[in-house]
Amino acid sequence: MLNYRFDETALQIGESANENDVEFRIVLATDDPSIAAGLKRVRQEFDENRVYTDVLFYHYPNHEYKVIVRKDYYVDFVLELMKQRLLKSVAWAD
């Protein structure tokens, strides 16, 4: 797994592992348009690839998202969050 850090004043990220996937709960804590745009680009990246079940996004009221990520796409998802500048750092867990 990966350890990652993010700006807690901008967003909250929690994750829980299930059998075959990892469920992320992402809440945008600010109305910063760059954060929302970054998350939209993450979604686009996975919506436009050839695998339909790799990452599934669900949008809820109050800027809350549930994202279900297949375990074999976990690293790709976290690195895409980093690429879109939603994370401050990413490191392999010891």
Side-chain angles (χ1 to χ4, degrees):
M1 291 299 248
L2 295 172
N3 289 327
Y4 51 85
R5 290 181 333 129
F6 52 89
D7 181 358
E8 294 180 12
T9 62
L11 70 157
Q12 298 297 315
I13 301 175
E15 66 176 75
S16 60
N18 295 324
E19 255 182 65
N20 298 318
D21 50 51
V22 178
E23 186 175 302
F24 285 84
R25 180 178 172 268
I26 301 174
V27 179
L28 307 185
T30 180
D31 288 331
D32 183 348
S34 67
I35 301 294
L39 191 56
K40 185 177 181 179
R41 288 190 300 271
V42 170
R43 182 177 185 163
Q44 255 181 329
E45 177 68 26
F46 291 100
D47 282 351
E48 293 175 357
N49 70 10
R50 299 178 76 190
V51 182
Y52 297 115
T53 60
D54 54 354
V55 178
L56 303 173
F57 279 81
Y58 299 94
H59 183 209
Y60 295 98
N62 300 322
H63 307 291
E64 184 177 338
Y65 298 83
K66 180 166 94 171
V67 185
I68 300 172
V69 180
R70 271 188 11 202
K71 284 188 177 178
D72 52 334
Y73 283 89
Y74 176 85
V75 172
D76 295 331
F77 179 73
V78 171
L79 292 179
E80 188 63 31
L81 290 174
M82 182 68 175
K83 180 180 174 184
Q84 299 303 330
R85 301 181 182 268
L86 297 174
L87 302 178
K88 290 183 167 187
S89 66
V90 177
W92 289 109
D94 291 332

